[in-house]
Every structure is written in C-alpha cells, then in structure tokens.
Amino acid sequence: MKKYDERITKGKISLFLTGKIEADNEIKKRLIKERKDIPAGLNFEFKELAYNSEVRKATISDIIQCKTSAKLSTILKCLKALDITFPKFAEEFDNISDNEALVQYKKLRDKDE
C-alpha cells in the first residue's frame, strides 16, 4: 500500500484553487478589455473566493500557500462559490500528478521549513 503524503494533498488543492482563480482572472481581464460588466461571483483573487465562499481570507490564503490542510466543509464551500460539483473537483484533483503537487508544495513551503 502506498504511504499517504499530506504534502501531495495540500499541493493538489493549492494547484486546483490557484488554477480556478487564475482562470477567473483571465475572464475578468477579457471582460474589462471588451468593456463589459464583471459579473458578481467571479473569483479573480483569493479574497474574492473567500468572500464568495464565506470562508476567512486567512484560511483561503493558508490553503493556497500549503500551510494548512483544507477541511471538507471548506472545500465544499469553495466548490459552491466556484460553481463546481464535487465529482468534477475529484476528477480535476486526480488529474494533478503527485509530482506536480509536490513541486507546488516545495515551491511554497520549503523556504519556511
């Protein structure tokens, strides 16, 4: 049986959330360029995700920075704010390789450890 490594889980969740925030930020930039209104609920920064998911900014920041493990309740609130189903999240989470997750974790955490 493969040994569980919490760094991989933290890295995958960080990559997932960062990717969604970056995608929404690109949408925001495109809408501004097209001189269109930015819709409510767009998560173009971590603080927007925190507001839209009703989770503390510090909690979202700590999860993105791989400082803490996300609780299931927090993940579910974020998914609701991102308008993503849990099965879709699980699929995307599984598509992130362990190596990508470790690289993300080390990039963010090795300086602090």
Side-chain angles (χ1 to χ4, degrees):
M1 189 163 119
K2 190 174 173 182
K3 185 177 179 196
Y4 170 76
D5 188 343
E6 188 176 19
R7 298 174 305 165
I8 292 171
T9 303
K10 287 179 179 180
K12 284 187 175 194
I13 292 173
S14 173
L15 285 168
F16 173 82
L17 292 177
T18 301
K20 296 304 176 190
I21 291 168
E22 288 172 358
D24 276 5
N25 193 34
E26 289 302 315
I27 292 169
K28 177 188 173 198
K29 287 178 186 177
R30 189 190 78 227
L31 291 172
I32 289 171
K33 187 176 179 180
E34 295 172 357
R35 297 178 187 245
K36 294 184 178 177
D37 291 335
I38 298 168
L42 203 59
N43 301 290
F44 52 86
E45 293 180 353
F46 82 89
K47 64 184 177 183
E48 295 294 328
L49 178 58
Y51 177 79
N52 292 329
S53 62
E54 298 178 351
V55 174
R56 293 175 49 243
K57 286 189 290 187
T59 300
I60 298 295
S61 178
D62 285 352
I63 292 167
I64 289 173
Q65 294 298 316
C66 299
K67 290 182 180 179
T68 189
S69 295
K71 293 180 179 177
L72 180 58
S73 60
T74 303
I75 292 171
L76 293 174
K77 288 177 182 180
C78 289
L79 294 178
K80 184 175 180 183
L82 293 165
D83 196 27
I84 296 173
T85 64
F86 192 81
K88 179 65 176 164
F89 162 73
E91 179 184 328
E92 292 188 33
F93 182 90
D94 286 344
N95 286 334
I96 299 169
S97 74
D98 290 356
N99 189 53
E100 288 174 298
L102 277 174
V103 167
Q104 174 77 351
Y105 179 88
K106 289 178 180 180
K107 178 175 79 171
L108 297 170
R109 301 304 324 141
D110 275 357
K111 63 184 177 276
D112 294 336
E113 293 181 355

